[in-house]
């Protein structure tokens, strides 16, 4: 199957995201207090994201929650259909899988909890970053950037 690489990348991104959230939130109990990993560069800090990535466009209504679930699913299907209609490179398939797996990881959070569980906070160089994110967000951004960079088109 030509798209096996996409499916494996999506599954890996999804599982890594969900397992990391479970471990940090339920085992390490980050909700009870921040956990300094490499302060201030990396701190585990509990967050409930009702908006999009990095806490942007917060919406506390059920309508906003289900709208964000629908948008995430539509983007995932759109990326899958686009990749199936093109001649994707192996890197494109991996990047598409990362994006889809990350998006589905955040969808599962919204369905189960009503929000996305976030726990990563990074600050540096005297700048105190108030935002938290998760590995699904990293996979979504890395996948999207990778799809642009490795789009398989030759420059004109």
């Amino acid at each position: 199957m030509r798209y096996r690489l996409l499916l494996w990348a999506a599954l890996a991104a999804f599982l890594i995201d969900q397992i990391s959230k479970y471990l940090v939130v339920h085992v390490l109990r980050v909700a009870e207090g921040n956990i300094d990993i490499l302060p201030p560069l990396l701190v585990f800090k509990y967050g409930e994201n009702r908006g999009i990535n990095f806490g942007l466009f917060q919406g506390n209504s059920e309508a906003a929650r289900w709208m964000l679930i629908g948008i995430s699913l539509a983007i995932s299907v759109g990326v899958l259909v686009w990749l199936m209609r093109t001649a994707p490179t192996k890197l494109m398939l991996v990047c598409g899988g990362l994006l889809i797996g990350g998006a589905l990881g955040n969808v599962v959070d919204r369905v189960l909890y009503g929000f996305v569980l976030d726990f990563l906070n990074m600050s540096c160089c005297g700048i105190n970053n108030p935002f938290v994110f998760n590995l699904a967000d990293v996979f979504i951004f890395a996948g999207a950037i990778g799809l642009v960079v490795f789009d398989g088109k030759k420059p004109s």
Side-chain angles (χ1 to χ4, degrees):
M1 182 171 152
R2 183 174 153 181
Y3 297 95
R4 191 172 296 155
L5 193 56
L6 180 134
L7 295 174
W8 281 112
L11 181 62
F14 176 82
L15 291 175
I16 290 168
D17 171 65
Q18 290 295 299
I19 291 168
S20 68
K21 289 173 184 171
Y22 179 82
L23 291 173
V24 173
V25 173
H26 298 291
V27 176
L28 296 178
R29 301 175 197 252
V30 72
E32 295 174 9
N34 295 349
I35 301 171
D36 291 336
I37 304 299
L38 293 170
L41 184 61
L42 179 60
V43 175
F44 287 173
K45 181 178 180 180
Y46 182 78
E48 296 178 0
N49 183 354
R50 287 167 169 65
I52 61 173
N53 291 36
F54 301 107
L56 301 173
F57 307 113
Q58 291 288 332
N60 288 323
S61 71
E62 280 295 300
R65 170 185 170 203
W66 289 103
M67 185 176 74
L68 288 171
I69 289 170
I71 290 169
S72 295
L73 292 173
I75 290 170
S76 296
V77 169
V79 168
L80 181 61
V81 168
W82 173 65
L83 287 170
M84 292 177 79
R85 290 185 176 177
T86 63
T89 64
K90 288 181 180 181
L91 282 172
M92 288 176 67
L93 292 172
V94 170
C95 292
L98 292 177
L99 190 152
I100 292 168
L104 295 178
N106 282 345
V107 163
V108 166
D109 284 6
R110 287 188 199 285
V111 169
L112 293 178
Y113 310 116
F115 51 84
V116 173
L117 289 171
D118 287 335
F119 64 90
L120 295 169
N121 176 263
M122 299 181 81
S123 297
C124 180
C125 314
I127 299 171
N128 184 18
N129 176 19
F131 299 109
V132 289
F133 58 100
N134 60 47
L135 291 176
D137 297 335
V138 173
F139 294 137
I140 291 166
F141 276 101
I145 290 168
L147 285 172
V148 171
V149 172
F150 305 117
D151 72 352
K153 294 179 185 174
K154 295 181 180 176
S156 47

